[in-house]
Structures are given as C-alpha cells and as structure tokens.
Amino acid sequence: MKRIHYSTKSKKDLKRYRQNPRKMEALFKVLNMLAQGIEIPEFYKPHKLVGQYKGCMECHIEGDFLLIWIDENSDDIKIIRIGSHSELFK
C-alpha cells in the first residue's frame, strides 16, 4: 500500500470541501484506489498534465471537481491540488 502525502495547498483545498460529504466521499474513493495501486478507471478521465503542472496526473472526481497528484515512486503519492478548473488553472 502506498503512502499519500499532501502538499500545503492541497491541505487548504481539502478544508474548503470538508463540508461537502458527497465530494469528500468521492475523493477518498479515488485516493483509496491510488493508495492500493489500482489503476484509475477511464470513468475518471485520468491524464497527464502539461504547462504549470507538467509531470503531474489529473482526474475528474466528479464533474468539475479535480484531483492533481504525482506518483513519486513505488511507495509514495503526493497530492498537489484539489478543486475546480477555475480554481486550479487560473
């Protein structure tokens, strides 16, 4: 099982969404898949990013609710940001 580490910005992002249990449940479902090393299903549209987040992966948790992460090595995953397109790609 991989360890999940949160960036400072992602911790702040989580605080914004903690009052929305539906989004948090969907987010932790995907985080659990990442921790277990399960490939993210195509339903979530996982893809690599370019530009500001080059080298990172992104998936759509639901609609306009995104998760950006880096699979750093075989043991660690770093969560970079959580939020909407407008919040993350200004």
Side-chain angles (χ1 to χ4, degrees):
M1 187 158 213
K2 296 183 179 190
R3 292 183 301 253
I4 295 181
H5 302 278
Y6 295 90
S7 69
T8 302
K9 285 188 176 187
S10 69
K11 289 177 185 178
K12 290 179 183 178
D13 295 338
L14 275 174
K15 285 183 182 181
R16 276 198 319 266
Y17 290 101
R18 68 178 173 205
Q19 298 302 321
N20 190 330
R22 183 176 51 86
K23 285 190 178 191
M24 293 303 288
E25 182 179 337
L27 172 65
F28 285 115
K29 181 178 178 181
V30 173
L31 290 175
N32 189 34
M33 283 189 260
L34 288 171
Q36 292 182 19
I38 298 171
E39 188 173 330
I40 303 299
E42 283 300 314
F43 169 78
Y44 293 106
K45 303 175 188 169
H47 56 279
K48 291 182 180 180
L49 295 174
V50 295
Q52 176 184 357
Y53 294 107
K54 185 176 182 180
C56 298
M57 292 290 294
E58 176 198 86
C59 71
H60 296 244
I61 304 295
E62 57 179 38
D64 193 26
F65 185 50
L66 312 174
L67 170 65
I68 299 175
W69 77 93
I70 297 175
D71 197 347
E72 293 187 313
N73 56 47
S74 60
D75 295 329
D76 297 309
I77 292 177
K78 184 170 184 179
I79 305 303
I80 306 297
R81 293 294 309 266
I82 302 162
S84 68
H85 279 99
S86 62
E87 293 167 343
L88 304 179
F89 303 102
K90 294 180 181 178

